[in-house]
Amino acid sequence: MKRRTFIRCVGCGAAVAATQSKLLPEFLGGIQNVCAFDYTTRLSSVEARHYKKKPEGGIECGICPRHCYVTDLERGYCGVRENRSDTYYTLVYGLSCSLNIDPIEKKPLFHFHPGTTALSIATAGCNVNCKFCQNWEISQVRPEQTRNLDLPPKSLVDICRQRNVSTIAYTYSEPVIFYEYMFDTAEQGHRHGVKSVMITGGYIEEQPLIELMPHLDAIKVDLKAIREQYYKDIVGGELKPVLDRLIQIKKAGVWLELVYLVVPTLNDTEQEFKELSRWVKTYLGADTPLHYSRFYPQYLLKNLPPTPEKTMENAHAISRAEGLQYVYLGNLRGHPAESTYCPKCGKTVIGRRGYTIYEFNLDGNRCRFCKHEIPGIF
Ligand code: SF4
């Protein structure tokens, strides 16, 4: 079944959440200019990249460190890749289940073209199962369970060009699992002057990342903890490959920012904030932006309270004391730590309230007051 839906698109903050049909009319209200998208119930049959056929039959996927072994007519852990007669297919190529134009600050990327917007897309599926997931309704389901818009790479690039949106963000679920769709969109985007940013947990293998990075302009990684046990118990993944990929991204010179979600009682000790800060400073550099994000109860962690503001401020103070220069607090609207301060003169170079920039004191990459260079892409 296929239904053509005429959508008024695309103003900042306007969303087409294809996951819940009941939400659609409300999301469409107030959006400007008419575009046409197709809903589809078909899944894609595009051959996956980075897999090996096994001599004994079956395939091994090499996109992420899970290395799923998948026999005929079965799918990998992420639920969006399927073995058919030992050819491996991605089922979500060109099928966005969420479409939204967000401020780049929402990703969050604070040192990357501040004040611009990003066309944000996702497909169903994920390669981990974080107990605190905000987007579990799309990340923890199969593509048959989401409402998918037929949006091949060219359509995404065309939307950006028509609507003057400078960047595409692969986000909400885990873009690693829709690698081929992200890769081709980013490649086509670059050919037409549209940038791409990956918003990810960083649970990806080395070689796919090497090949992808030339087509990306920035990467934001959710470093969910600095303890392996937390990844095992709360994330359903591993810390070590994520740390390795962070170092790889930094060495490759792709702009990188980090988010650490502070979850009460699970990853919120002073010792962890110190270890995190020391690791970032040692391996990524003191000028790597670190965003502490406040937790709100959801999904499988509804039993925990929101992170106390005091804990957030303590994390911020520890990271600053350890020498990190750009430490931010997220989900604390109006807090002074939403803004960027020059590490040399201490003045506000980018003043933010929520996703709004109210003050901008950069000349190119330099502080307007003391000419100190601020890292990032401005
Ligand atoms: S991308 Fe999906 S199928 Fe491939 S290894 Fe990771 S979880 Fe498994």
Side-chain angles (χ1 to χ4, degrees):
M1 187 181 80
K2 207 170 187 184
R3 174 164 81 82
R4 173 153 289 238
T5 306
F6 288 93
I7 294 171
R8 290 180 177 274
C9 86
V10 175
C12 179
V16 181
T19 49
Q20 302 292 331
S21 58
K22 281 184 189 158
L23 293 179
L24 198 54
E26 291 88 79
F27 274 117
L28 297 182
I31 319 176
Q32 300 144 10
N33 303 319
V34 175
C35 288
F37 301 123
D38 289 325
Y39 278 121
T40 180
T41 54
R42 76 169 175 84
L43 300 180
S44 67
S45 295
V46 172
E47 188 172 359
R49 297 175 204 170
H50 297 283
Y51 76 93
K52 282 190 299 206
K53 295 185 192 213
K54 303 296 280 182
E56 68 274 25
I59 66 92
E60 181 183 333
C61 178
I63 289 280
C64 89
R66 284 195 181 277
H67 282 262
C68 295
Y69 171 66
V70 186
T71 53
D72 192 26
L73 298 178
E74 296 292 337
R75 294 186 191 178
Y77 175 95
C78 55
V80 300
R81 298 169 170 272
E82 188 169 281
N83 180 349
R84 293 183 199 147
S85 304
D86 286 353
T87 299
Y88 207 36
Y89 293 95
T90 165
L91 307 178
V92 291
Y93 188 98
L95 298 174
S96 298
C97 67
S98 292
L99 180 70
N100 192 18
I101 292 192
D102 291 330
I104 199 77
E105 284 75 16
K106 192 177 175 184
K107 301 298 110 192
L109 282 166
F110 277 13
H111 293 232
F112 182 83
H113 299 289
T116 63
T117 52
L119 182 68
S120 303
I121 65 152
T123 74
C126 189
N127 58 356
V128 293
N129 181 8
C130 301
K131 291 184 177 172
F132 47 77
C133 185
Q134 291 179 16
N135 295 316
W136 59 271
E137 284 162 309
I138 59 170
S139 71
Q140 300 304 321
V141 300
R142 292 190 160 206
E144 293 90 337
Q145 295 168 280
T146 54
R147 296 194 73 205
N148 304 317
L149 290 162
D150 200 352
L151 281 170
K154 183 177 180 306
S155 299
L156 295 172
V157 175
D158 285 347
I159 292 170
C160 288
R161 295 176 75 201
Q162 287 159 10
R163 309 296 159 199
N164 209 17
V165 175
S166 56
T167 302
I168 299 172
Y170 312 94
T171 181
Y172 303 136
S173 56
E174 173 49 69
V176 167
I177 59 95
F178 58 90
Y179 179 87
E180 295 81 2
Y181 184 25
M182 168 170 55
F183 189 108
D184 289 357
T185 304
E187 191 181 42
Q188 287 200 31
H190 269 188
R191 271 193 249 131
H192 295 94
V194 176
K195 296 180 268 297
S196 274
V197 298
M198 177 167 72
I199 309 304
T200 177
Y203 198 46
I204 180 171
E205 269 300 350
E206 183 180 8
Q207 188 57 32
L209 184 59
I210 286 173
E211 293 174 22
L212 178 65
M213 280 195 290
H215 308 295
L216 296 178
D217 298 278
I219 302 176
K220 189 221 79 182
V221 174
D222 286 297
L223 178 55
K224 297 164 199 267
I226 200 68
R227 301 265 167 92
E228 196 68 67
Q229 196 62 39
Y230 181 96
Y231 267 80
K232 195 168 170 226
D233 297 342
I234 308 298
V235 176
E238 302 160 273
L239 172 62
K240 176 73 170 55
V242 176
L243 296 180
D244 291 345
R245 293 301 86 79
L246 287 171
I247 294 168
Q248 186 187 344
I249 293 165
K250 200 71 185 184
K251 282 187 178 154
V254 179
W255 181 250
L256 173 67
E257 300 193 24
L258 299 176
V259 165
Y260 184 100
L261 180 74
V262 183
V263 184
T265 73
L266 296 180
N267 66 355
D268 64 342
T269 63
E270 292 190 356
Q271 189 55 33
E272 283 164 297
F273 299 144
K274 272 186 199 161
E275 283 175 32
L276 168 71
S277 306
R278 286 173 190 172
W279 188 89
V280 171
K281 189 177 173 191
T282 305
Y283 294 101
L284 306 179
D287 62 355
T288 304
L290 171 62
H291 304 251
Y292 284 110
S293 185
R294 187 185 198 191
F295 163 87
Y296 285 96
Q298 54 204 330
Y299 189 38
L300 302 176
L301 288 183
K302 289 204 178 108
N303 55 320
L304 295 177
T307 318
E309 194 167 333
K310 204 161 178 286
T311 307
M312 298 291 290
E313 289 179 335
N314 196 27
H316 182 273
I318 288 170
S319 290
R320 291 288 291 122
E322 291 292 334
L324 298 190
Q325 293 176 331
Y326 303 99
V327 186
Y328 299 104
L329 296 183
N331 292 338
L332 277 176
R333 196 177 165 80
H335 197 283
E338 288 182 319
S339 295
T340 303
Y341 302 95
C342 174
K344 189 171 171 209
C345 70
K347 294 202 170 129
T348 306
V349 284
I350 306 174
R352 299 183 191 83
R353 193 165 295 113
Y355 305 134
T356 305
I357 291 175
Y358 64 84
E359 195 176 347
F360 191 79
N361 293 311
L362 279 174
D363 289 327
N365 268 53
R366 296 199 176 268
C367 169
R368 184 166 293 162
F369 308 105
C370 72
K371 308 300 174 207
H372 183 75
E373 188 171 342
I374 308 295
I377 304 174
F378 297 107

